[in-house]
Amino acid sequence: MRHHISLTVIILALVSAAMSCTTGNRTAEICNPLPMKFGDPFMLHASDGRYYMYGTSLADGFEAYVSDNMTDWTPLGQIYKGGDSLQWNVDCFWAPEVYERDGKYYLFYSANSRNNPGGEEENFKIGVAVSDSPAGPFADLYNRPVFEIDYPVIDANVLFDDASGKNYIYFSRCCYKHPVESEIADKARADSLYDCIEESWIYGAELLPDFSGIVGEPVKLLAPPASLSDRQAGWESLSVTKGEANRRWTEGSYIFRHGDTYYMMYSANAFFGGNYAVGYATSRSPLGPFEKSASNPILKENVREGGTVMGTGHNMALTMPDGTMWTVYHGRTSDNPGERVVMIDRLEIDADGNLSVAGPTVTPSTIAY
């Protein structure tokens, strides 16, 4: 009888251990910045249970890192190579995002297109590559951009919407050759800062199931505020008012659904400056209209408050196995402001639906993986 009791105890212990692994009760202590050195980070929790981190760093493609425990990250090397003379893309490989669908892995990214009859300085388009493994290698699904449009676009983000059964793609129209009149532009001229202000806007469109194109015309979803009285104008115009550039950015979008609400996080200001920051907007529909939050920005530099982090932006959100949400983003530190580093902080949605980020931090945090 004693042997049967011992066996029962062992079985229960094993079941309990297995449940703790599958419900996110394994925890790790993490501390910003993470070891990888790149911008526009995107983290995938793959079906193999491992975590993969992708980002902007290479001149001819993308590299990745993998971790089993959110603490120790192993470089995988280059997982996608572009710029070959037979490929549609040339250079400026930016903002990779990887999605797992039906046993395949799809890498959406931005790059300069080889097809450039007008000789444009910015000729960015969005591509998609595929692999059988999150570790690659990835090869282009089509040797062309996902869609063609008459202005440069970057920062693809994809929503697989369970509510509608449709897929949506979001992207940012570049500032390039896109001057926009506004009260902010008027003030910049009056203050002898800049003669014109170019802007980038976020668009969305339904994405065909095979990722071969979009349905209809893209819909404008977010843009910098036109009026000085707009509560968003101050923080979204810092690149102009601080004399960093004659551009106002709305880019790096990331959308997710929580309850009946669609949250679109986005970045504003120059990616190369300390004022790069994150805000969000909400909608009841994947294609808007979206309303920006009165609490924006929800993630920004803390140097003015005695901290060491600046240039926080181009983020994504991830729900961990225990149900907690985290945001992965890049930032810069005051001891090396020229280098982008990867950071992760806790993201929360309160009972009223307000989103907030507990960061930027440089002290240890506990995360369940």
Side-chain angles (χ1 to χ4, degrees), residues 40-365:
D40 314 326
F42 186 89
M43 186 163 69
L44 171 71
H45 187 196
S47 58
D48 64 5
R50 310 179 86 189
Y51 293 86
Y52 295 82
M53 189 81 77
Y54 311 87
T56 299
S57 61
L58 302 181
D60 61 348
F62 302 104
E63 62 179 325
Y65 288 72
V66 64
S67 177
D68 292 312
N69 56 17
M70 293 292 293
T71 301
D72 304 304
W73 292 90
T74 301
L76 294 172
Q78 188 162 4
I79 51 92
Y80 172 82
K81 182 174 176 59
D84 183 272
S85 61
L86 298 179
Q87 289 176 278
W88 73 267
N89 48 47
V90 182
D91 54 19
C92 295
F93 293 89
W94 298 341
E97 297 198 359
V98 176
Y99 303 91
E100 183 176 356
R101 305 295 292 177
D102 301 322
K104 297 283 189 179
Y105 295 86
Y106 296 91
L107 166 68
F108 287 81
Y109 65 93
S110 312
N112 257 326
S113 176
R114 190 175 301 278
N115 180 26
N116 189 9
E120 303 292 349
E121 293 179 15
E122 297 184 19
N123 192 40
F124 308 125
K125 304 295 179 184
I126 290 166
V128 58
V130 64
S131 175
D132 292 326
S133 166
F138 286 84
D140 281 303
L141 185 61
Y142 308 104
N143 193 23
R144 59 170 176 81
V146 175
F147 59 91
E148 289 284 359
I149 205 160
D150 60 0
Y151 48 81
V153 294
I154 59 172
D155 296 349
N157 175 235
V158 178
L159 172 69
F160 302 97
D161 186 37
D162 293 334
S164 65
K166 298 179 179 180
N167 306 329
Y168 297 90
I169 188 167
Y170 303 88
F171 55 90
S172 178
R173 172 180 183 161
C174 295
C175 295
Y176 180 70
K177 291 187 177 180
H178 190 220
V180 177
E181 289 301 322
S182 66
E183 291 182 7
I184 289 80
D186 292 340
K187 189 174 190 309
R189 278 191 290 266
D191 293 344
S192 299
L193 287 171
Y194 304 106
D195 291 332
C196 76
I197 302 299
E198 297 175 317
E199 294 184 357
S200 66
W201 297 349
I202 291 173
Y203 286 77
E206 184 182 340
L207 179 65
L208 290 173
D210 62 358
F211 310 148
S212 63
I214 58 176
V215 178
E217 291 296 318
V219 179
K220 175 186 170 185
L221 302 177
L222 291 178
S227 170
L228 285 168
S229 62
D230 190 307
R231 66 181 63 182
Q232 312 290 338
W235 79 276
E236 289 196 29
S237 304
L238 285 172
S239 290
V240 172
T241 58
K242 297 294 184 181
E244 291 179 329
N246 70 322
R247 290 181 166 184
R248 293 200 296 165
W249 284 267
T250 310
E251 62 173 25
S253 64
Y254 184 84
I255 191 169
F256 65 92
R257 184 169 175 260
H258 181 80
D260 295 328
T261 302
Y262 294 87
Y263 289 79
M264 178 174 286
M265 305 182 78
Y266 66 96
S267 298
N269 297 310
F271 73 92
F272 52 80
N275 295 303
Y276 203 45
V278 175
Y280 78 97
T282 56
S283 176
R284 294 294 181 177
S285 166
L287 293 179
F290 281 86
E291 181 179 355
K292 293 179 180 179
S293 169
S295 61
N296 287 342
I298 59 168
L299 179 63
K300 64 177 183 177
E301 59 81 26
N302 61 14
V303 175
R304 291 181 179 87
E305 300 169 356
T308 60
V309 181
M310 64 186 77
T312 55
H314 201 117
N315 73 305
M316 57 86 64
L318 185 73
T319 300
M320 303 304 288
D322 67 344
T324 60
M325 295 185 69
W326 295 74
T327 183
V328 180
Y329 59 97
H330 74 242
R332 303 171 188 269
T333 56
S334 55
D335 61 341
N336 189 8
E339 180 178 67
R340 291 188 289 185
V341 293
V342 178
M343 310 186 80
I344 180 170
D345 278 308
R346 183 71 181 272
L347 184 155
E348 294 184 346
I349 301 175
D350 67 19
D352 295 322
N354 300 308
L355 190 154
S356 62
V357 176
T361 67
V362 290
T363 54
S365 300

Side-chain angles (χ1 to χ4, degrees), residues 1-10:
M1 177 63 71
R2 185 174 299 167
H3 295 295
H4 291 298
I5 293 174
S6 299
L7 182 60
T8 300
V9 170
I10 292 171

